[in-house]
Amino acid sequence: MTLQIKSFDEYKEVYKRSVEDPEGFWAEQASSFQWRKKWDKVLDWNFSEPNVNWFVGGKMNITENCLDRHLEERGDQVAILFEPNDPNEPAKEFTYKQLHAEVCKAANALRANGIEKGDRVCFYMPMVPELAIAVLACARIGAIHSVVFAGFSAQALADRINDASCKMVICSDYNNRGTKHIPVKKIVDDAMALGCDSIETILVHKNTGDSIEMVGGRDKWWHDEVEGQSTTCEAEEMDSEDMLFILYTSGSTGKPKGVVHTCGGYMVYTAFSFKNVFQYEEGDIYWCTADIGWITGHSYIVYGPLLAGATTVMFEGVPTYPDAGRFWQVCDKLKVNQFYTAPTAIRALMAQGDEWVEKYDLSSIKVLGSVGEPINEEAWEWYYDKVGKGNAPIVDTWWQTETGGIMISGLGSHSPMKPAHAGYPLPGIQPCLMDADGNELDGNDIEGLLCVKFPWPSMLRTTYGDHERCRLTYFSHFENKYFTGDGARRDADGMYRIIGRVDDVINVSGHRMGTAEVENAINEHPLVVESAVVGYPHDIKGQGIYAYVITSDPVDDEDVFRKELLKVVTKEIGPIAKPDKIQVVTGLPKTRSGKIMRRILRKVASGDTSNLGDTSTLLNPEIVEAIKSGALG
Ligand code: WT7
């Protein structure tokens, strides 16, 4: 059984042990799983290449641990509890036995379609059970899944398919989102038209049943391929360090990179962190509202909960359909015990008024989770008082796509809690704060750049197809340390408070974006000469997107031009990257070496032009006044 910490004293003791003897500690945690062959060595690592190997030589399959391992003890317990978009449709249950059978059928269907160990399979799907089933089917046969959030555009999808040379796409016909049917298959077709030569097959899951075009020889219906397959499927034997999945995420430069996670360490850490952070108990109903297109969905809707034998809710809908009470209605109806969502959703629902949350019985809730961005104190208090009724602890979980699992967080009610503080590191996690010169900052009540100085089992291993990029991005800033890109404060009690990104990554409604990516999209417009994108504080989204744009000719109609820019961004990346504000400017403040002074642009965007610092050394100091006077409030 995975260790479950039950008091703060126990946490302190376990933490100490995990740092003094990491190998012993993680070997203990790993031993509760089913291994085909035990590892020869727990850990082998260096951060200079980097080269990190956990449970070296161990052989296993993660789906045997998510499914087969539970059949005897909890075969008839619900594994996935699916709540559809339409509140009038009943929830659908998959017991561990049923899920096992469905995953085996899907795995056999994938094999029948030529998918083998190591092949990459891309997903572009809504939050329906078939997504989880197909993801697990990949893992069962050793294929590498690459799930792309279905809000990304055809271009973004094509880029991701091509970066990983995926052999197959699994999609739906249409997605349900509130009252809308989104033509997902059509977007996949558009991606194919942009050139995705590696794709041999597209499997289409019939979701809404609206009409679509099927291309002969390439497109197949999911149900045709899966129905009639055997409900057993021999799992592929995987090495601990074989790839499990790729997940694309944005950085400060260039195109999104494919973060690679591997089988053994990811399994051990997601299960351990799930049980401890959420304090999941036998029989609980756990609900994470994330989309499986993000790491939160991978680790804490699918893998972590299933590894722990939990009942995990999958929600197809949106927080505001049919009304702003939807989350709380589902919590009431399904008697949810652990609820995990993002600050942006909390703020949006908070703005709708308390009556929505007061309408429902939320007494089943034992733990409330927050993830994806800093949670402001007002939202924290509302979440605690109105949703948790002051009875449920908030676990503010700090982590990243790259970390694979939660790194800093309270453990249910067993940790001290402070609004807007993630708190203490999980066992085995060794964070540190650095100054810009590479010195580690000792002691408390201090602020610095957040790094991690020792490997943990679920850390990224590489960025797909470009190991050097992984080294440069995460391991080159500080010797022997993983650099997170976040700034953080360690308060007088040693609790961490995440301040936010210190690089050119912004976090909009919990969606991570590179400002360079948005700029590249804007620059596709024929009239645009140059652009600069920054984040600014936004009441609901956390950060909004502010774009400064230089055009080659004067713009006749700024409204039309703005709309065109939004269209370009939607086409290149997706609607989530649309700037909230676009200011047409005649120049951008630059240093003498030609670097854009983003500091100034950020200040202007935030509405604070009082003290812009010394601008006299700029190449074009006169531009600052012009930008200030044209700033959008
Ligand atoms: C970035 C990672 C990890 C799942 C979702 C986001 C920010 C994440 C918190 C938190 C403050 C947070 C950081 C981080 N972030 N959780 N609890 N408090 N900031 O994953 O898309 O890889 O984004 O999200 O800035 O670096 P991601």
Side-chain angles (χ1 to χ4, degrees):
M1 280 281 280
T2 307
L3 168 71
Q4 196 174 38
I5 292 165
K6 285 290 172 199
S7 70
F8 193 56
D9 280 341
E10 188 185 357
Y11 159 77
K12 284 189 276 191
E13 177 220 305
V14 170
Y15 185 80
K16 188 160 174 279
R17 180 155 56 95
S18 76
V19 170
E20 283 168 1
D21 176 21
E23 297 198 28
F25 176 75
W26 288 116
E28 239 172 71
Q29 303 317 314
S31 62
S32 58
F33 294 93
Q34 204 172 295
W35 296 82
R36 295 257 188 110
K37 174 182 169 288
K38 204 183 158 192
W39 56 90
D40 306 312
K41 190 164 187 275
V42 176
L43 174 64
D44 189 11
W45 71 286
N46 73 68
F47 275 177
S48 51
E49 294 176 64
N51 184 9
V52 175
N53 301 283
W54 281 94
F55 310 111
V56 184
K59 305 283 179 196
M60 38 75 72
N61 184 292
I62 198 166
T63 71
E64 287 184 336
N65 286 281
C66 288
L67 302 169
D68 307 56
R69 187 166 56 104
H70 300 310
L71 291 183
E72 212 168 294
E73 202 187 324
R74 59 179 93 249
D76 295 320
Q77 182 202 307
V78 177
I80 292 181
L81 183 46
F82 172 64
E83 174 67 26
N85 174 64
D86 181 350
N88 300 315
E89 267 177 43
K92 215 156 128 189
E93 299 177 347
F94 291 80
T95 64
Y96 272 93
K97 248 186 223 156
Q98 288 165 332
L99 185 62
H100 176 266
E102 291 303 321
V103 169
C104 286
K105 279 160 65 183
N108 289 325
L110 294 181
R111 274 193 181 140
N113 277 282
I115 301 298
E116 293 172 3
K117 180 174 177 181
D119 286 343
R120 275 83 56 211
V121 175
C122 178
F123 288 77
Y124 193 70
M125 281 184 79
M127 285 288 290
V128 292
E130 286 75 11
L131 168 56
I133 289 166
V135 157
L136 291 165
C138 280
R140 185 128 188 124
I141 64 171
I144 298 160
H145 52 81
S146 167
V147 184
V148 177
F149 174 61
F152 281 116
S153 68
Q155 182 65 57
L157 174 62
D159 290 346
R160 286 158 176 75
I161 288 172
N162 289 329
D163 187 74
S165 311
C166 295
K167 217 165 151 179
M168 176 185 272
V169 181
I170 306 183
C171 67
S172 55
D173 50 2
Y174 288 77
N175 288 4
N176 286 305
R177 271 190 86 74
T179 53
K180 285 188 249 165
H181 287 190
I182 315 282
V184 179
K185 169 62 164 58
K186 170 74 172 62
I187 300 171
V188 175
D189 289 342
D190 292 347
M192 294 304 120
L194 293 166
C196 294
D197 296 341
S198 56
I199 295 295
E200 293 172 7
T201 313
I202 299 178
L203 279 189
V204 187
H205 168 248
K206 192 177 262 184
N207 190 36
T208 65
D210 297 285
S211 83
I212 56 164
E213 240 169 79
M214 295 287 277
V215 175
R218 185 195 72 182
D219 301 351
K220 296 177 182 176
W221 286 107
W222 165 269
H223 57 258
D224 285 342
E225 299 307 303
V226 172
E227 269 165 31
Q229 293 287 353
S230 159
T231 55
T232 59
C233 171
E234 179 64 18
E236 193 75 32
E237 183 167 290
M238 305 295 281
D239 189 274
S240 294
E241 287 297 341
D242 279 337
M243 275 188 210
L244 175 61
F245 66 86
I246 305 168
L247 188 58
Y248 285 84
T249 193
S250 297
S252 40
T253 55
K255 294 211 162 180
K257 40 189 176 290
V259 167
V260 170
H261 285 289
T262 59
C263 296
Y266 180 82
M267 169 175 80
V268 173
Y269 194 78
T270 52
F272 175 80
S273 51
F274 172 76
K275 278 203 79 163
N276 283 282
V277 169
F278 298 103
Q279 291 290 311
Y280 185 89
E281 308 267 0
E282 200 70 50
D284 283 349
I285 309 286
Y286 162 87
W287 181 20
C288 165
T289 68
D291 191 287
I292 294 179
W294 311 112
I295 190 71
T296 310
H298 283 64
S299 301
Y300 298 111
I301 294 177
V302 181
Y303 287 112
L306 295 179
L307 286 163
T311 299
T312 177
V313 174
M314 250 184 107
F315 176 52
E316 184 189 22
V318 295
T320 49
Y321 174 78
D323 57 48
R326 182 64 159 138
F327 273 3
W328 322 124
Q329 180 252 331
V330 175
C331 283
D332 184 349
K333 182 177 115 180
L334 303 180
K335 297 289 163 239
V336 168
N337 300 110
Q338 289 89 4
F339 179 73
Y340 190 28
T341 196
T344 191
I346 299 167
R347 287 189 295 263
L349 296 176
M350 184 171 84
Q352 304 282 324
D354 297 352
E355 63 269 27
W356 295 108
V357 53
E358 281 162 1
K359 253 170 85 173
Y360 298 100
D361 175 10
L362 301 179
S363 58
S364 56
I365 292 178
K366 297 195 280 191
V367 175
L368 291 169
S370 172
V371 62
E373 44 179 323
I375 177 166
N376 49 308
E377 293 190 21
E378 198 192 349
W380 195 101
E381 299 288 355
W382 186 83
Y383 200 28
Y384 187 72
D385 293 337
K386 300 293 170 189
V387 181
K389 320 287 181 203
N391 294 319
I394 292 180
V395 289
D396 179 357
T397 64
W398 174 81
W399 59 298
Q400 313 176 293
T401 305
E402 293 87 341
T403 68
I406 296 167
M407 303 288 278
I408 302 181
S409 166
L411 310 179
S413 63
H414 304 308
S415 309
M417 217 172 28
K418 250 182 239 176
H421 287 68
Y424 296 101
L426 263 69
I429 306 303
Q430 302 189 35
C432 62
L433 297 175
M434 307 292 290
D435 70 14
D437 302 324
N439 306 305
E440 184 173 343
L441 303 168
D442 290 324
N444 289 344
D445 208 1
I446 211 149
E447 195 173 307
L449 302 167
L450 182 60
C451 291
V452 188
K453 55 184 177 183
F454 195 83
W456 63 101
S458 66
M459 66 185 289
L460 88 165
R461 300 300 196 263
T462 188
T463 46
Y464 193 82
D466 193 351
H467 193 63
E468 178 62 4
R469 192 168 176 200
C470 173
R471 187 187 71 79
L472 280 172
T473 312
Y474 307 105
F475 298 93
S476 69
H477 296 77
F478 304 103
E479 206 184 334
N480 252 324
K481 292 184 177 62
Y482 165 81
F483 176 44
T484 65
D486 280 315
R489 183 169 183 82
R490 191 165 53 224
D491 75 3
D493 300 320
M495 293 175 82
Y496 285 87
R497 175 182 194 143
I498 310 301
I499 294 160
R501 302 289 305 197
V502 295
D503 52 11
D504 292 319
V505 170
I506 52 178
N507 199 322
V508 182
S509 300
H511 298 156
R512 175 167 157 186
M513 240 166 284
T515 52
E517 259 179 280
V518 184
E519 287 162 9
N520 289 339
I522 290 173
N523 297 349
E524 289 291 312
H525 189 288
L527 212 57
V528 174
V529 177
E530 197 181 2
S531 63
V533 165
V534 296
Y536 70 95
H538 187 288
D539 283 351
I540 304 284
K541 300 179 179 186
Q543 278 187 304
I545 306 179
Y546 196 117
Y548 298 89
V549 180
I550 306 175
T551 56
S552 53
D553 292 299
V555 177
D556 295 337
D557 187 333
E558 285 213 5
D559 252 7
V560 172
F561 177 60
R562 283 202 186 93
K563 280 191 189 123
E564 284 172 9
L565 285 183
L566 297 186
K567 227 170 123 184
V568 175
V569 172
T570 303
K571 175 171 166 278
E572 294 293 316
I573 306 173
I576 56 174
K578 284 197 290 196
D580 299 272
K581 294 181 182 175
I582 298 169
Q583 183 182 353
V584 179
V585 294
T586 54
L588 294 165
K590 289 194 176 167
T591 62
R592 287 181 198 279
S593 59
K595 231 180 134 223
I596 298 174
M597 286 290 277
R598 289 173 183 278
R599 181 178 56 77
I600 294 174
L601 296 177
R602 276 189 215 113
K603 279 215 111 177
V604 173
S606 71
D608 171 15
T609 51
S610 55
N611 179 16
L612 295 181
D614 183 13
T615 55
S616 64
T617 58
L618 290 177
L619 193 63
N620 49 352
E622 71 288 350
I623 201 68
V624 175
E625 273 315 307
I627 287 182
K628 262 166 70 172
S629 63
L632 305 163

